[in-house]
Structure formats: structure tokens, C-alpha cells
Amino acid sequence: GAGVSQTPSNKVTEKGKYVELRCDPISGHTALYWYRQSLGQGPEFLIYFQGTGAADDSGLPNDRFFAVRPEGSVSTLKIQRTERGDSAVYLCASSPQGMNTEAFFGQGTRLTVV
Amino acid sequence: AQSVTQPDIHITVSEGASLELRCNYSYGATPYLFWYVQSPGQGLQLLLKYFSGDTLVQGIKGFEAEFKRSQSSFNLRKPSVHWSDAAEYFCAVGARGGADGLTFGKGTHLIIQP
């Protein structure tokens, strides 16, 4: 596709359940980022991949959050034992090199934990 | 740690009037600076960025921003706004020398009056 694709666009889950959010970056982009945007806030950095490896996961809030990018393209953000406070829009961005060049954002996945 | 402050949560401007959105940053050295726009149902789009050189940066959609080191500011301006400019605007800072994630401000919601 032409842009960054995130699926699903909306996800409603019950507290305590496990969820996976998917990001398809622009083809050829080696850098991939996950951000979380809570209501009324700016995006908050979660994790950065360069290729297949997580170059910086310092933004992950706790060990319930995990992300993978096994083939250096598609990435999955995984949240275990979801809590109501995890409700937010999860944004993915990709870039040819890194955020300090132009990065392209997907439209996000709106996660609601009930 | 770097931080970004956008002092105005909401700004209302008449169509055709000029616009200035404020952004102040905190960082130990000269950072990379960005402005992104987020329209309803759309992903974040890069308006412009400052890395080095000329402190007045031109972006897309007729926007410009000026980096002022002495004031730690990177204000966004447009001489004449259009109704389609109504959106959420985010200022962001990135660390030099790395491809780490950006730190975003909380955003300014721009309302255009007819």
C-alpha cells in the first residue's frame, strides 16, 4: 500500500484480555515506531525498531506491553492483561531511516478496554 | 530529558486571518524540531522540520516556523488561514545524533471561524 496501515482501526476488549495490534509500514522503511495517544494528549513514544530489533523500548509502560517485528516489516504490539488505563489510540509510524527524517504515521488503532 | 510545551490548548482564528501557534522546548542542546498536524480521522502529517541552518523553515500548506534559540521556541505561523486548516497541531522535539522517538507537546486545537 501507499501508506502505513494499522489494523484493526477499532478494538474493544474486556479488562484482563490479551490484544494484538498490527502495523504494516511503508515498503522499504527500516525504522518503525509505536506511540500511544491518550485523549487530549500528544503521542507518547513506546518503542522503536530498526530492522528486526527493538533499538529502544524505553517507552513501554510495563511488562504487559511487548512488540515484535520478526521480518523487519510488519510489527505487532501485544498487550497482556489489559487494563482500563490502556484505552488510547495506538499509532504506528515508519521512516526510511528514523524520526529525524520524515516519518509517516498510520491512522491508528483505537483501543477501548471495558 | 527533553520536553515540549504548547501553552495554548485551543485557538480560534477567523478565516483569512493570520495564525501563530506557540511551542517551547526543553533540551540540553540544539534539538531537531517538528510540527505535525492531525485532522479528524487522519493520521499525523508532517508540516515542517528544523535540523540546522536557516532558522526560518518553510513547510507544506503555506506554513512556516521560526527557531529562536534564545527563547527555546519554535512557533508555527501562517499568514492567512483557510477553513481546512482546522485541526490539532503538535510540536515535537527529537534528540540529535539518534533516531529515537520524538517527544510531543499536548497539542493546540485550531478552530476556524467563518
Side-chain angles (χ1 to χ4, degrees):
Chain A
V4 178
S5 175
Q6 291 188 248
T7 55
S9 55
N10 282 282
K11 176 72 176 178
V12 180
T13 190
E14 292 181 348
K15 178 176 178 291
K17 297 290 188 182
Y18 167 83
V19 296
E20 291 190 349
L21 312 180
R22 177 186 169 105
C23 173
D24 277 274
I26 293 173
S27 178
H29 282 191
T30 59
L32 185 146
Y33 297 79
W34 284 98
Y35 289 82
R36 177 169 69 176
Q37 186 174 18
S38 301
L39 193 62
Q41 303 294 316
E44 175 190 21
F45 169 73
L46 295 177
I47 187 169
Y48 153 56
F49 287 91
Q50 183 63 251
T52 60
D56 183 355
D57 64 358
S58 62
L60 295 177
N62 52 59
D63 62 5
R64 294 187 298 106
F65 288 74
F66 189 70
V68 296
R69 195 185 185 199
E71 298 179 357
S73 177
V74 171
S75 177
T76 304
L77 178 66
K78 308 181 180 191
I79 310 174
Q80 298 177 320
R81 305 183 304 279
T82 51
E83 299 177 356
R84 293 197 176 87
D86 298 335
S87 297
V89 176
Y90 289 82
L91 298 169
C92 176
S94 73
S95 171
Q97 297 176 24
M99 289 302 294
N100 292 332
T101 58
E102 182 164 3
F104 298 84
F105 280 82
Q107 294 194 20
T109 293
R110 181 175 298 279
L111 176 66
T112 304
V113 182
V114 298
Chain B
Q2 58 218 41
S3 65
V4 176
T5 301
Q6 293 181 248
D8 303 305
I9 298 173
H10 300 278
I11 281 192
T12 301
V13 178
S14 297
E15 190 169 15
S18 64
L19 169 71
E20 182 169 31
L21 301 183
R22 295 184 290 164
C23 172
N24 291 94
Y25 69 89
S26 174
Y27 184 67
T30 302
Y32 293 142
L33 294 162
F34 305 79
W35 275 99
Y36 281 85
V37 60
Q38 187 176 41
S39 299
Q42 304 293 317
L44 284 157
Q45 182 182 21
L46 180 67
L47 286 176
L48 48 78
K49 58 185 184 284
Y50 171 77
F51 288 175
S52 64
D54 192 344
T55 56
L56 185 62
V57 180
Q58 301 298 320
I60 62 171
K61 304 185 179 186
F63 285 93
E64 66 177 27
E66 186 172 12
F67 169 59
K68 292 186 177 180
R69 184 192 307 273
S70 62
Q71 298 176 19
S72 297
S73 69
F74 189 57
N75 295 348
L76 182 71
R77 300 194 293 250
K78 186 170 184 178
S80 175
V81 299
H82 185 261
W83 64 267
S84 60
D85 292 325
E88 193 80 19
Y89 290 79
F90 294 95
C91 181
V93 61
R96 286 189 175 272
D100 300 328
L102 302 182
T103 299
F104 285 83
K106 293 186 176 182
T108 296
H109 183 57
L110 176 63
I111 300 165
I112 306 296
Q113 282 185 336

